Structures are given as structure tokens and as C-alpha cells.
Amino acid sequence: MNFLNKVVLVTGSSRGIGRSIAVKFAKEGANVIVNYKNSEKEAEVITEIISSYGNECICIKADVSSEKDVKKMIEEIMKKFGHLDIVVNNAGIAIDSDFEEKKIKDFQDTLNTNLIGVFLVSKYAAKYMMEKQYGKIINVSSTNGIDTTYPYSLDYDASKAGLINLTRNLAIEFSPYINVNAIAPSWIETEMNSELPKKYLQEEKEKILLKRFAEPEEIADLVLFLASDKARYIDGEVIRIDGGIGLR
């Protein structure tokens, strides 16, 4: 896949799968916008790595749940590059806790980032994509939004289920010029998951046919496929990437 001269925004790309997606696009020739909210040092590091490939890369601090921040970010991208071809809505948060300890603010913050944030970024990016009559939007949902349920993450699960519905609605709204799709990963080997109890992680791996969690690069491969012209006839879809856990 070749993304030479394409301009790609990956939200929440200072760490985890967002970082892997941003680097993968850069390796394929794209100019990348690294977005972060709090992880400034990590964002600066990934920006330097991407720039080392000879690509143009800018780093923008923006809270995707803030309409003001999103508008400013998209305007900065357009001022720098003049166009925006691909958006990967990856930024997301999870505030896990026992049901009795769930707070309204935690629930609202999760929805604001994981669902409303995707709406805002897509809305303001699509304005320019529609003018150019070309664009790709890939939303990072989760199997938690389909058929994987954990009461301690019910706010996260609800946000990812909502994101799937949002994906389909945006595909209709932006047709025929912008392909909007979502991916639904299961467990991924990330820094966040490494902090969980080892016994629990092993129990979860046993539920997966491949007996392991996905590597971030494997998720990035699917994102790049959906962003490529090879997937030009795929629209409004949600693609699971779960190692076979859905068959259990």
C-alpha cells in the first residue's frame, strides 16, 4: 500500500495502537498529524520518529471532546497541508470501576471522548473531504460494543456500541465521497493492559482461539487496508479483529 502525499490524522496517537497506526502510515509515505491530549513527551518522540522517515509530521495538542480544540486542529492541518485525506478516530479512554462506584462524570467523560469526540473530528474533517470529493474515516470501536460485556466497563462498552451506530450514520451522511468504516478489536498488547493482574490476562487469552492478544501492528495493518484504495468498495462496515474470541 502506498500513501505517498496523503495527509493522515490519527487522534490519540502518542501511545498504544494510535502510535503504531501513525508510524505504519509514515512508513508507507504519508504525512502524519500526531494528536495528543496529555502525553506531550510521548507525542514529541513519535513525531521525531515519523519525521526521520522523510515525511512531514506535525504534532497537535487537542482534546477531541472539545469542539473549540477540534475546529482549531482541523484549521491548523488545512493551513499546513491544504488537504486532509484520511482520519483515524483512535482517541479513547476507559475508566473501569465496580458498578457501585461508577460516577456520572466518569460516564460523561467516556462518552464525550469515545463518541462525541469522533462526531466532532469527523464533522469538521469531512467538510474539507466533501469539497475534494475524497476521504477515508476509520473509527476504532471494540468488541465491547458488539457482544463482549464487562459490567465494570459498561460506560466504555456503551460508548463503543454508540460508535458503531455513528459509523453507519456517517457513512450515509458522507456518501458517496467518503468511506466511513469501523474496526472492532478485542484484547491488544498495550501498556494499559500490562498493568492488569497476570492471572486475569491469562484467563482472557484462553478465551481467544489464537491464545494471545493482538499486537498493535496487527491492528494498524487493518486500518491501513481500510484507508487504501483496495478497500474503496467497503463502506459503513464494522470489521472484527479479535483472534477468534467471538466464536466462543
Side-chain angles (χ1 to χ4, degrees), residues 90-154:
N90 168 74
I93 61 172
I95 308 174
D96 294 344
S97 62
D98 291 335
F99 181 80
E100 294 77 7
E101 297 175 1
K102 288 287 181 187
K103 300 176 182 177
I104 291 177
K105 185 180 184 305
D106 291 342
F107 209 119
Q108 291 173 330
D109 287 347
T110 300
L111 290 174
N112 285 339
T113 298
N114 297 2
L115 185 57
I116 295 176
V118 174
F119 161 72
L120 289 173
V121 174
S122 300
K123 176 182 178 180
Y124 288 101
K127 173 185 176 181
Y128 299 101
M129 290 178 171
M130 292 295 280
E131 289 177 359
K132 191 181 177 184
Q133 297 187 356
Y134 176 86
K136 306 274 189 172
I137 297 176
I138 298 97
N139 300 325
V140 180
S141 183
S142 169
T143 54
N144 287 55
I146 302 175
D147 56 13
T148 305
T149 54
Y150 297 97
Y152 58 78
S153 65
L154 60 85

Side-chain angles (χ1 to χ4, degrees), residues 82-232:
H83 62 105
L84 177 58
D85 304 293
I86 300 162
V87 170
V88 181
N89 284 305
N90 168 74
I93 61 172
I95 308 174
D96 294 344
S97 62
D98 291 335
F99 181 80
E100 294 77 7
E101 297 175 1
K102 288 287 181 187
K103 300 176 182 177
I104 291 177
K105 185 180 184 305
D106 291 342
F107 209 119
Q108 291 173 330
D109 287 347
T110 300
L111 290 174
N112 285 339
T113 298
N114 297 2
L115 185 57
I116 295 176
V118 174
F119 161 72
L120 289 173
V121 174
S122 300
K123 176 182 178 180
Y124 288 101
K127 173 185 176 181
Y128 299 101
M129 290 178 171
M130 292 295 280
E131 289 177 359
K132 191 181 177 184
Q133 297 187 356
Y134 176 86
K136 306 274 189 172
I137 297 176
I138 298 97
N139 300 325
V140 180
S141 183
S142 169
T143 54
N144 287 55
I146 302 175
D147 56 13
T148 305
T149 54
Y150 297 97
Y152 58 78
S153 65
L154 60 85
D155 44 357
Y156 176 84
D157 298 355
S159 72
K160 293 302 185 178
L163 180 52
I164 289 173
N165 188 276
L166 178 64
T167 297
R168 292 167 177 156
N169 276 289
L170 293 181
I172 294 171
E173 178 65 25
F174 300 148
S175 63
Y177 302 119
I178 302 174
N179 295 70
V180 185
N181 292 291
I183 65 168
S186 179
W187 285 99
I188 307 169
E189 290 286 1
T190 63
E191 300 95 329
M192 186 185 302
N193 293 333
S194 66
E195 299 172 1
L196 296 172
K198 291 184 178 180
K199 181 180 179 182
Y200 172 70
L201 292 176
Q202 187 57 43
E203 289 173 349
E204 289 298 307
K205 288 179 181 178
E206 288 302 314
K207 299 177 184 178
I208 302 171
L209 296 187
L210 299 182
K211 303 302 180 186
R212 66 177 179 84
F213 293 168
E215 294 295 332
E217 292 76 14
E218 293 175 305
I219 307 302
D221 286 338
L222 177 56
V223 170
L224 263 71
F225 169 72
L226 288 173
S228 74
D229 287 338
K230 293 182 178 180
R232 60 186 175 274

